[in-house]
Amino acid sequence: MERIELHDKKFRLFIPNEKIEEAIDAVASKINADYMGSGSTPVFLSVLNGSFMFTASLLQKIKFGCEVSFVKLASYSGTSSTGQIKELIGAGSELEGRDVIIVEDIVDSGRTIVELHEILTRLGVSSVRICTLFYKPKAYKKSLRIDYSAMEIGNEFIVGFGLDYDQLGRQYKDIYIIENQ
Ligand code: IMP
Ligand code: MG
């Protein structure tokens, strides 16, 4: 499909599935090179909902012993005036002492990834690396290192391959970009 419509917005084909898979191949090779023979059995921590397709594809290309687990970041209002507090659903003390590779769909401003990193540090993990399908370097405002990024894009808004616009568009195998309207 060349064009799709989600809610009130129109999107056009941007990155076909073959290109996405090539980029995932390349990032998987880097991860394989870093972890093979290291003696570590890392946990790939997939951040739902956006990274479900990326996680499935990436994990099929991993050649060393590893685990995979799925988490969700939920916000709830704290009792203090500090406002929103993030809670990690689906992970806890079993991550203590583990090497963790966060699997994200997209890193934009970096807020999400920094919050996740802080929570994992509090849980006492041994190491944290970040692996993302998409990275928007022009929007990124944090100093945390993005260890593995499959594709870099500008500040445009994209959907497909797990990424959504207001929950729609996750099912497409290709990536679509928002059209100026
Ligand atoms: P950050 O916390 O600003 O880095 O934003 C990360 C989150 O924003 C991602 O996990 C996505 O849910 C969402 N997001 C940012 N950019 C896009 C995009 O282009 N398409 C779809 N979702 C996006
Ligand atoms: Mg989203």
Side-chain angles (χ1 to χ4, degrees):
M1 257 183 303
E2 282 298 317
R3 287 198 151 67
I4 55 170
E5 258 187 80
L6 306 170
H7 298 295
D8 57 333
K9 302 259 188 288
K10 291 191 173 75
F11 297 80
R12 66 178 158 77
L13 187 61
F14 184 42
I15 308 169
N17 185 263
E18 309 80 74
K19 293 280 177 215
I20 303 170
E21 290 297 332
E22 277 173 27
I24 300 175
D25 269 337
V27 92
S29 296
K30 283 189 196 139
I31 299 175
N32 282 328
D34 287 352
Y35 284 86
M36 269 205 293
S38 72
S40 164
T41 305
V43 184
F44 285 90
L45 206 63
S46 171
V47 187
L48 295 173
N49 293 328
S51 64
F52 75 100
M53 276 202 202
F54 176 39
T55 304
S57 173
L58 177 72
L59 266 285
Q60 289 173 38
K61 304 175 201 297
I62 295 301
K63 296 181 177 147
F64 51 87
C66 64
E67 295 178 21
V68 61
S69 197
F70 296 85
V71 294
K72 214 164 177 168
L73 253 191
S75 348
Y76 63 93
S77 301
T79 47
S80 71
S81 57
T82 50
Q84 294 253 299
I85 296 172
K86 293 277 186 179
E87 184 191 12
L88 192 61
I89 297 171
S93 58
E94 75 283 355
L95 289 179
E96 199 181 327
R98 301 299 303 270
D99 294 316
V100 173
I101 304 169
I102 297 172
V103 183
E104 262 285 19
D105 54 353
I106 188 161
V107 174
D108 188 353
S109 72
R111 262 190 68 184
T112 311
I113 211 78
V114 164
E115 271 158 6
L116 250 174
H117 194 278
E118 281 167 5
I119 294 172
L120 291 172
T121 303
R122 264 184 264 132
L123 285 173
V125 300
S126 170
S127 71
V128 184
R129 285 192 185 175
I130 299 162
C131 176
T132 186
L133 178 59
F134 288 101
Y135 173 41
K136 296 183 179 176
K138 291 193 194 99
Y140 193 62
K141 295 192 176 64
K142 306 288 180 182
S143 54
L144 199 61
R145 182 183 138 94
I146 307 300
D147 303 277
Y148 308 105
S149 139
M151 285 174 279
E152 291 190 3
I153 58 167
N155 281 347
E156 51 266 355
F157 190 82
I158 57 170
V159 294
F161 207 78
L163 288 100
D164 71 301
Y165 166 49
D166 207 2
Q167 300 308 326
L168 293 185
R170 296 193 196 276
Q171 78 268 34
Y172 299 104
K173 67 178 177 35
D174 307 306
I175 292 288
Y176 292 82
I177 186 167
I178 199 158
E179 283 194 318
N180 297 325
Q181 41 185 345

